[in-house]
Amino acid sequence: MQLLLNIQHVINESPEKNAFIINTVKYSYLDFAKSISKIRQVIGINTNDEEKIIGLVANDDLETYATIIALWLEGKAYVPLDPASPIDRNKNIIKQTVISTVIDSTPTASIDEVKTIASKTLPDCTLDLTPKDISDDQLVYILFTSGTTGQPKGVSITRANVAEFVSAFDALGLAINDEDRCLQMFDLTFDLSVMSYFIPLLKGACIFTIPKDAIKFSYIYELLEEQRITVALMVPSILHYLRPYFKEIYLPEMRYNLFCGEALPNDITSEWSNCIPNAKLLNVYGPTEDTIFCTYFNYHSSANNKAYNGLVAIGQAMKGTFTIIVDENNQVLPFNQVGQLCLGGVQLTPGYWNNPEKNKDSFFISNYKNKPERFYKTGDLCKMDNEGDILYIGRLDYQIKVQGFRVELSEIEYHVKVFLKKINAVATAYTDAIGNTEIGLIIEAEKFETAPLTNYLKTKLPLYMIPRIILFSGSFPLNSNGKTDRNKLALLLKK
């Protein structure tokens, strides 16, 4: 991958410049290169050529980021494992991907039944940054997202997918350079992290990360001001936390501010734009299946911006991406008709990992500009206006975004029903007092003590998927189709 040669060039040209600042500690590009090289060496010793997929415990430290590049140099892919997730969930992911080796920067950590490489205490070695000659169809990572059956599903991304994303990103005209100070606020299990660390590394910029034990919005607030961050990709929910401080926040050095991962409210964006008077602000959109993000909308603080029901437009396709709006029969709809947004083009995943049934449901072939093209059904309701801008309307199913993470409500319901032995329950989204999306649970039963249920869910689900509110109801209401009326149940959380 040519991009890895670009990183090698950056390191050779500016070895003393800061590559990362992690929990206030500075690491130069030379420090990064040394860490990459010694981890690469131990990967070469402890794995064979057939072992293409390696587990990576997603810690916030130099070794973890260096492991990603070391694996890519060796022609291998990483599967991030969240150390805060239940061990059963991580073991499920390991089993699905048949991982036999996990790299962990916590020296004392280990996972049963796999070989663990401790990356923190390796001896120094000769720098080795030249990538192996690997084909573009080889994987670079597999990210697991919430699944409807109670089992997380893996999204496979290739070298070609990432290369095409970088090309499309560069075509946006965001001139990031080696003087930029870039925010990386995402867990490595979230695909927006890839843009947040990889694009800056390609440009020789400095990356500021968020410690896992920090209060995220508070730490971001401090970084933005004290470190004069110039480039930031953020989820909109951060703005809800920062909103009380907008009158105090003034960031004239911010050059590029991108938002992704959730619908972007127009009103709060207008207020925020006053805090970043010199920044170019973009609302970008894309599921994990289409490699980080693939559409963009330039937001102008002094103009009437396109929005639908108060949500900023997600705009037009980036270079190499195809967008269509289809009806329930996958037939392309004309402008201004509401339907499901579908994506095709060079950033599109080859498919879900070892999941032919899900692939069959999620991908289809459609005629696009007189050629058959493969498309992914996003599940997002949208319409395209006469100028080709896409307006986001909402979700087609019960998938939501919490803190930027994609959540299948049915996965929560699955685990609840296992614990409650088939007592009916519905998980639904609600908006909390500061405007963020949270998860509520309504149980079809008489009230009982919920602590055992909550404790059980914590062994099965990440913390952001644990319901914040649990309510009880008599017989659930039904809609005209005889199905549980989720909309009426959701109203209980607004009382």
Side-chain angles (χ1 to χ4, degrees):
M1 185 161 58
Q2 177 62 40
L3 299 176
L4 295 175
L5 292 174
N6 293 351
I7 291 180
Q8 183 183 35
H9 175 75
V10 165
I11 291 171
N12 290 337
E13 289 293 308
S14 306
E16 302 305 322
K17 289 185 71 72
N18 288 331
F20 288 89
I21 297 183
I22 301 174
N23 206 5
T24 73
V25 179
K26 298 178 180 179
Y27 299 96
S28 70
Y29 272 92
L30 181 58
D31 294 330
F32 189 47
K34 290 178 178 178
S35 188
I36 292 169
S37 298
K38 60 187 180 182
I39 294 170
R40 181 182 187 180
Q41 182 182 68
V42 77
I43 290 170
I45 293 171
N46 286 275
T47 66
N48 56 45
D49 289 342
E50 286 70 41
E51 193 175 350
K52 297 294 187 182
I53 301 171
I54 306 294
L56 173 62
V57 178
N59 296 313
D60 177 48
D61 53 30
L62 186 71
E63 289 78 16
T64 299
Y65 288 99
T67 297
I68 294 171
I69 304 302
L71 288 169
W72 289 356
L73 290 171
E74 284 291 296
K76 300 182 187 296
Y78 74 94
V79 178
L81 304 170
D82 185 353
S85 284
I87 187 64
D88 284 352
R89 186 179 179 86
N90 284 336
K91 284 185 174 180
N92 181 300
I93 292 170
I94 289 170
K95 183 178 180 180
Q96 284 195 56
T97 48
V98 199
I99 285 172
S100 57
T101 302
V102 170
I103 301 177
D104 190 349
S105 58
T106 308
T108 58
S110 64
I111 299 176
D112 294 341
E113 300 172 1
V114 296
K115 176 171 54 183
T116 302
I117 296 175
S119 59
K120 180 73 78 174
T121 56
L122 300 175
D124 288 337
C125 65
T126 303
L127 294 188
D128 184 7
L129 303 174
T130 302
K132 288 185 175 180
D133 186 14
I134 304 295
S135 64
D136 286 344
D137 63 351
Q138 293 295 303
L139 299 182
V140 286
Y141 58 79
I142 304 174
L143 296 187
F144 278 80
T145 63
S146 178
T148 58
T149 62
Q151 178 166 288
K153 59 182 183 290
V155 180
S156 308
I157 298 297
T158 68
R159 290 171 169 255
N161 291 149
V162 171
E164 294 294 351
F165 167 77
V166 172
S167 176
F169 181 88
D170 287 343
L172 294 177
L174 308 188
I176 299 173
N177 60 52
D178 61 0
E179 295 300 320
D180 276 309
R181 299 175 295 279
C182 304
L183 177 67
Q184 204 303 76
M185 63 163 285
F186 303 106
D187 289 341
L188 292 174
T189 55
F190 191 7
D191 67 329
L192 294 184
S193 67
V194 181
M195 178 266 167
S196 298
Y197 69 75
F198 196 48
I199 293 293
L201 289 175
L202 291 169
K203 310 299 181 182
C206 182
I207 302 159
F208 291 77
T209 72
I210 310 297
K212 285 184 175 289
D213 59 353
I215 300 173
K216 183 167 284 189
F217 85 92
S218 177
Y219 201 92
I220 289 173
Y221 183 4
E222 294 176 9
L223 279 183
L224 292 175
E225 290 201 322
E226 295 176 8
Q227 300 298 334
R228 307 188 315 281
I229 296 297
T230 61
V231 179
L233 172 63
M234 303 160 70
V235 288
S237 59
I238 290 296
L239 294 183
H240 293 295
Y241 287 105
L242 295 179
R243 197 173 203 170
Y245 311 103
F246 277 3
K247 291 183 179 179
E248 305 168 25
I249 298 174
Y250 186 64
L251 307 170
E253 294 188 71
M254 179 78 77
R255 302 199 310 125
Y256 303 115
N257 193 188
L258 294 79
F259 287 93
C260 193
E262 298 168 313
L264 181 64
N266 192 34
D267 59 346
I268 199 169
T269 308
S270 178
E271 295 175 31
W272 173 250
S273 66
N274 296 320
C275 302
I276 51 171
N278 301 317
K280 185 172 184 177
L281 196 158
L282 286 82
N283 186 30
V284 295
Y285 162 91
T288 304
E289 289 83 351
D290 212 42
T291 314
I292 312 173
F293 54 80
C294 57
T295 77
Y296 71 101
F297 180 79
N298 287 312
Y299 189 92
H300 301 284
S301 59
S302 60
N304 290 324
N305 291 283
K306 293 183 180 181
Y308 187 89
N309 287 341
L311 302 176
V312 177
I314 59 176
Q316 303 196 8
M318 291 165 57
K319 188 186 80 169
T321 290
F322 311 142
T323 57
I324 55 175
I325 310 291
V326 304
D327 63 15
E328 61 274 13
N329 297 314
N330 296 335
Q331 297 301 304
V332 178
L333 294 170
F335 290 139
N336 299 307
Q337 294 293 306
V338 175
Q340 182 174 191
L341 174 61
C342 299
L343 304 170
V346 293
Q347 292 179 210
L348 191 60
T349 172
Y352 295 106
W353 180 256
N354 285 346
N355 198 336
E357 183 175 342
K358 182 65 177 174
N359 287 332
K360 184 178 179 180
D361 290 341
S362 300
F363 301 91
F364 67 99
I365 303 297
S366 181
N367 194 46
Y368 183 82
K369 295 185 177 180
N370 299 318
K371 286 179 57 181
E373 296 286 354
R374 178 169 167 266
F375 281 89
Y376 166 70
K377 295 184 280 189
T378 66
D380 287 321
L381 280 175
C382 298
K383 66 178 181 178
M384 189 179 296
D385 68 14
N386 292 329
E387 296 175 309
D389 281 311
I390 301 165
L391 302 174
Y392 177 80
I393 296 171
R395 285 297 300 169
L396 188 65
D397 52 21
Y398 302 124
Q399 187 183 92
I400 64 170
K401 290 286 186 72
V402 176
Q403 301 172 28
F405 289 96
R406 186 167 58 182
V407 173
E408 296 279 0
L409 293 174
S410 54
E411 182 178 7
I412 300 170
E413 293 168 0
Y414 170 85
H415 289 295
V416 169
K417 291 173 183 177
V418 167
F419 182 81
L420 296 180
K421 303 190 186 310
K422 299 183 180 180
I423 291 177
N424 199 15
V426 165
T428 187
Y430 70 95
T431 303
D432 68 12
I434 62 172
N436 284 333
T437 299
E438 298 289 357
I439 297 169
L441 181 70
I442 305 166
I443 300 173
E444 194 175 27
E446 295 295 324
K447 188 174 181 179
F448 58 81
E449 174 56 48
T450 59
L453 169 61
T454 299
N455 290 336
Y456 172 80
L457 293 177
K458 288 179 180 178
T459 70
K460 300 297 181 182
L461 301 168
L463 287 178
Y464 61 83
M465 291 178 67
I466 306 299
R468 295 295 183 93
I469 296 177
I470 300 178
L471 301 177
F472 296 84
S473 174
S475 297
F476 282 174
L478 303 178
N479 62 21
S480 59
N481 295 322
K483 298 179 180 179
T484 299
D485 194 329
R486 289 172 173 264
N487 291 330
K488 286 185 179 179
L489 286 175
L491 292 176
L492 296 176
L493 294 167
K494 298 181 180 180
K495 293 181 178 179

